[in-house]
């Protein structure tokens, strides 16, 4: 390693400790979506379901606020909503579901004065792991709305956990909104013996009215799937010339991710202005790939450019991984890493 490399900041040196109460306080839309609103979502005329989703989510937000109005009687419970207590956006990656879910949060909280929590599916399961089940319920129950982005069930334990958590919240009058690439009745398909947990899966599905969002991935409209990688020297030059940038070998970062709990990935990259990766290579291992997916989500949430050498990000996962049970997770990661790499290429 050269002397200049020794002076560069490294993601692999970071192993933050995040207090449980901070996990609760950070349940808000990520910085990339802090300013979005329904009015800033531009529906495609070729896909009418996009405009329908805006109208449906806005109306749902109004119903949440109506239920959040002051109630007569100090101890009166919130009135149960007519129909399913939740709204579920189903559609491919890159069609704006996170934009719409963040807009719903802002409609309820920023504009309507209500209270809401916003996090990814993984962040909620991590919250339960950090706090314990009942304390997590108590932390979320005062909210009028709980937003769950990237809803996905990867194992039977998560199925039972989230089903129970959502039942507890609904019983306390909390409304739910979620996004996913999979219809709620099909969650878990291809990942584990879903038929053995069908009752739990159907219980989840019964909490939601489904709104479909069609369209193409906006990150790729008129753009190449992934930019050409830079050479190693160019990656290091960007890292050395940009305050707050990190510089690591890709393999070192992958190894480090195994040592950091995924709930802390956001804190790990939070103060980073750019992530510079040398010698990106194709990932063949499932567990390594899934950790990289979580890292890609946290980088994308925070709009952090990625500057990289090695293989392009549309070749970062093997065909075996892309065609397996976690296909949609990997495709989302490719889409997001490619978008961040286009931002990173401009820095060079």
């Amino acid at each position: 390693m050269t002397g200049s490399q020794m002076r560069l900041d490294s993601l692999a040196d970071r192993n933050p400790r995040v207090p449980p109460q901070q996990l609760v306080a950070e349940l808000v839309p990520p910085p990339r979506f802090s300013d979005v609103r329904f009015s800033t979502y531009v529906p495609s005329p070729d896909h009418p379901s996009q405009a329908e989703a805006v109208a449906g989510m806005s109306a749902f937000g109004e119903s949440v606020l109506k239920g959040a109005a002051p109630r007569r009687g100090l101890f009166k419970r919130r009135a149960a909503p007519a129909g399913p207590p939740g709204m579920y956006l189903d559609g491919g990656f890159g069609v704006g579901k996170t934009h719409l879910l963040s807009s719903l949060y802002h409609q309820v909280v920023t504009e309507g004065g209500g209270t809401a929590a916003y996090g990814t599916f993984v962040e909620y399961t991590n919250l339960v792991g950090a706090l314990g089940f009942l304390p997590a319920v108590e932390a979320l129950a005062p909210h009028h709305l709980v937003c769950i982005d990237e809803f996905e069930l990867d194992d039977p334990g998560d199925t039972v956990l989230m089903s129970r958590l959502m039942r507890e919240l609904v019983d306390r009058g909390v409304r739910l909104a979620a996004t996913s690439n999979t219809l709620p009745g099909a969650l878990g398909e291809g990942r584990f013996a879903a038929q053995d947990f069908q009752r739990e899966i159907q219980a989840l599905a019964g909490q939601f009215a489904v709104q479909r969002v069609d369209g193409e991935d906006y990150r790729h409209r008129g753009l190449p799937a992934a930019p050409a990688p830079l050479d190693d020297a160019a990656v290091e030059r960007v890292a050395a010339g940009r305050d707050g940038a990190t510089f690591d070998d890709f393999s070192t970062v992958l190894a480090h991710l195994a040592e950091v709990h995924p709930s802390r990935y956001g804190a790990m990259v939070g103060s980073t202005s750019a992530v510079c990766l040398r010698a990106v290579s194709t990932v063949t291992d499932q567990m390594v790939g899934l950790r990289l997916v979580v890292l890609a989500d946290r980088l994308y949430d925070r709009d952090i450019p990625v500057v990289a050498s090695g293989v392009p990000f549309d070749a970062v996962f093997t065909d075996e991984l892309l065609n397996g049970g976690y296909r949609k997770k990997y495709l989302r990661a490719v889409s997001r890493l490619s978008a961040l790499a286009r931002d990173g290429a401009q820095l060079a």
Side-chain angles (χ1 to χ4, degrees), residues 159 162-164 166-167 170 176 184-185 197-208:
T159 306
M162 289 303 290
S163 177
R164 183 184 172 200
M166 289 165 50
R167 283 199 302 270
V170 168
L176 307 172
F197 297 88
Q198 197 61 37
R199 184 171 63 181
E200 294 290 347
I201 292 171
Q202 291 304 320
L204 286 174
Q207 307 286 3
F208 296 102

Side-chain angles (χ1 to χ4, degrees), residues 25-309:
E26 292 179 347
L27 289 175
V28 297
R32 176 181 282 265
F33 297 97
S34 60
D35 296 324
V36 302
R37 299 293 187 272
F38 289 124
S39 61
T40 63
Y41 183 92
V42 182
S44 168
D46 297 328
H47 301 285
S49 64
Q50 294 185 7
E52 294 167 2
V54 172
M57 288 291 277
S58 179
F60 181 73
E62 291 174 2
S63 73
V64 172
L65 289 171
K66 184 177 180 181
R71 303 178 297 280
R72 295 178 181 176
L74 182 61
F75 300 105
K76 186 176 181 181
R77 292 173 61 87
R78 295 173 189 160
M87 175 68 78
Y88 191 100
L89 289 180
D90 169 63
F93 40 87
V95 297
K97 300 186 305 298
T98 300
H99 183 136
L100 292 171
L101 189 66
S102 299
S103 298
L104 174 66
Y105 174 95
H106 291 303
Q107 178 189 19
V108 171
V109 176
T110 309
E111 300 168 358
T115 60
Y118 183 107
T120 64
F121 180 89
V122 171
E123 287 173 321
Y124 286 111
T125 57
N126 289 338
L127 180 70
V128 174
L131 299 183
F133 183 81
L134 289 178
V137 172
E138 294 300 326
L140 296 172
H143 295 299
H144 301 114
L145 172 70
V146 168
C147 300
I148 309 168
D149 200 15
E150 300 161 13
F151 202 112
E152 194 55 88
L153 301 181
D154 295 338
D155 60 57
D158 282 349
T159 306
V160 176
L161 175 67
M162 289 303 290
S163 177
R164 183 184 172 200
L165 178 66
M166 289 165 50
R167 283 199 302 270
E168 290 280 351
L169 294 175
V170 168
D171 287 346
R172 297 183 186 216
V174 180
R175 306 294 293 277
L176 307 172
T179 74
S180 181
N181 299 319
T182 307
L183 286 168
L187 288 167
E189 263 183 16
R191 293 161 180 77
F192 56 87
Q195 65 273 16
D196 295 338
F197 297 88
Q198 197 61 37
R199 184 171 63 181
E200 294 290 347
I201 292 171
Q202 291 304 320
L204 286 174
Q207 307 286 3
F208 296 102
V210 177
Q211 174 69 58
R212 176 70 186 175
V213 189
D214 298 303
E216 59 179 316
D217 187 341
Y218 77 90
R219 289 181 288 269
H220 290 170
R221 292 173 191 167
L223 295 169
L230 304 174
D231 59 48
D232 291 348
V235 174
E236 186 174 357
R237 280 197 302 272
V238 173
R242 185 174 177 85
D243 290 341
T246 60
F247 179 77
D248 296 88
D249 285 331
F250 184 65
S251 59
T252 302
V253 170
L254 294 184
H256 184 59
L257 293 180
E259 306 298 324
V260 180
H261 192 276
S263 66
R264 304 203 299 269
Y265 286 8
M268 184 175 67
V269 303
S271 61
T272 306
S273 65
V275 168
C276 300
L277 299 172
R278 183 172 58 182
V280 172
S281 58
T282 301
V283 173
T284 61
D285 181 86
Q286 187 88 272
M287 292 307 298
V288 174
L290 291 174
R291 287 191 288 265
L292 180 57
V293 167
V294 177
L295 178 65
D297 288 339
R298 301 292 79 79
L299 292 172
Y300 186 78
D301 287 346
R302 289 155 178 80
D303 215 4
I304 298 173
V306 175
V307 184
S309 65

